[in-house]
């Protein structure tokens, strides 16, 4: 039977260390199908039951990545740890494949600058961007995500259809979804504070605040 999973719901995570492994599990929890790749058989075995697919491979080997179907993925995360050469070469291969959304873990800001020059679309410094937050971004539900203490979060997301065309005061987003629209951004304009009479237009970006599970559910409406 052919795989009918949307291509955007499939993510390849390369490097299953502490950061990559936790990120891969978060992506699974969010409904993505995940191919996890690492060069260490024992590590791959550890995640074999948790991820959709796993493989042992040298990710600097173009042929190995092609055999695993990596060029067909829309989203890829390079979570390789201390092997800077492997991190850079793997990122370069993903760029050559034309993967449209590449996240790459950097161990330092200098490493991050190199990854950006290689063509990574997003560079992650794990001490600032933990696996759960990055998982939200990789799935595409949110454009940015900040979680605070006491189960409270703020997200940037595209306005869902049910919020479009009516003033925020009449959309009842707070009573329906438990979230508050803090700010709004029209295409080509700056963010402005949201008011009750603000009418949301298609393509607007919203900054929304609320309980973590409620803002996650709201972002999933987009």
């Amino acid at each position: 039977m052919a795989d009918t999973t949307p291509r955007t719901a499939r993510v390849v995570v390369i490097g299953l260390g502490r950061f990559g492994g936790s990120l891969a599990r978060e992506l699974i929890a969010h409904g993505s199908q995940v191919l996890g790749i690492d060069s260490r058989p024992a590590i791959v075995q550890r995640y074999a039951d948790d991820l959709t697919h796993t493989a042992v491979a040298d990710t600097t080997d173009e042929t190995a990545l092609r055999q695993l179907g990596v060029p067909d993925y829309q989203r890829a995360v390079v979570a390789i740890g201390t092997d800077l050469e492997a991190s850079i070469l793997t990122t370069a291969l993903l760029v050559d494949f034309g993967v449209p959304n590449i996240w790459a873990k950097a161990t330092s800001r200098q490493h991050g600058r190199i990854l950006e020059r290689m063509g990574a679309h997003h560079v992650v410094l794990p001490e600032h961007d933990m696996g759960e937050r990055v998982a939200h971004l990789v799935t595409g539900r949110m454009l940015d995500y900040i979680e605070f203490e006491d189960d409270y979060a703020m997200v940037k997301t595209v306005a869902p259809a049910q919020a479009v065309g009516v003033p925020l005061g009449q959309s009842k987003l707070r009573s329906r979804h438990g979230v508050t629209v803090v700010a709004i951004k029209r295409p080509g304009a700056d963010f402005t504070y949201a008011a009750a009479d603000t009418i949301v237009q298609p393509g607007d970006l919203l900054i929304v605040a609320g309980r973590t599970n409620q803002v996650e559910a709201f972002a999933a409406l987009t």
Side-chain angles (χ1 to χ4, degrees):
M1 182 180 295
D3 183 1
T4 58
T5 304
R7 294 178 71 193
T8 54
R10 299 167 61 236
V11 184
V12 56
V13 177
I14 299 174
L16 295 175
R18 184 172 61 179
F19 173 74
S22 66
L23 170 61
R25 284 178 171 144
E26 287 286 346
L27 289 168
I28 288 287
H30 295 151
S32 296
Q33 291 198 4
V34 177
L35 166 61
I37 307 174
D38 199 288
S39 61
R40 299 162 293 179
I43 297 294
V44 171
Q45 182 62 36
R46 182 186 306 170
Y47 289 95
D49 294 333
D50 298 332
L51 308 183
T52 314
H53 305 288
T54 54
V56 178
D58 174 4
T59 60
T60 66
D61 184 338
E62 178 180 353
T63 300
L65 293 186
R66 288 191 181 277
Q67 289 175 343
L68 291 170
V70 170
D72 296 330
Y73 280 76
Q74 296 289 299
R75 301 171 189 272
V77 181
V78 180
I80 297 173
T82 57
D83 190 340
L84 300 187
E85 181 179 2
S87 166
I88 293 166
L89 292 176
T90 300
T91 300
L93 281 176
L94 295 177
V95 173
D96 289 344
F97 291 156
V99 176
N101 295 283
I102 302 169
W103 283 259
K105 169 189 171 181
T107 56
S108 67
R109 298 198 180 277
Q110 182 181 21
H111 181 201
R113 286 193 292 270
I114 294 171
L115 293 170
E116 288 175 344
R117 289 170 185 160
M118 296 305 298
H121 305 102
H122 315 275
V123 172
V124 177
L125 288 166
E127 63 267 32
H128 301 295
D129 301 279
M130 301 313 294
E132 183 175 355
R133 179 184 180 198
V134 177
H136 286 299
L137 305 179
V138 172
T139 57
R141 294 190 180 106
M142 304 177 189
L143 303 175
D144 203 356
Y145 172 89
I146 302 173
E147 187 168 7
F148 302 93
E149 296 179 358
D150 302 322
D151 190 36
Y152 190 84
M154 185 174 291
V155 307
K156 179 168 69 173
T157 187
V158 178
Q162 64 180 255
V164 171
V166 294
L168 285 173
Q170 297 178 20
S171 64
K172 299 182 179 178
L173 296 180
R174 184 178 298 179
S175 61
R176 289 179 181 175
H177 303 287
V179 301
T180 300
V181 178
V182 179
I184 187 169
K185 183 182 186 301
R186 308 262 188 242
D190 294 328
F191 271 104
T192 59
Y193 289 110
D197 60 353
T198 301
I199 298 177
V200 179
Q201 303 294 335
D204 284 353
L205 298 181
L206 306 179
I207 299 292
V208 179
R211 294 293 179 188
T212 302
N213 64 329
Q214 290 173 319
V215 296
E216 289 175 355
F218 180 78
L221 297 174
T222 59

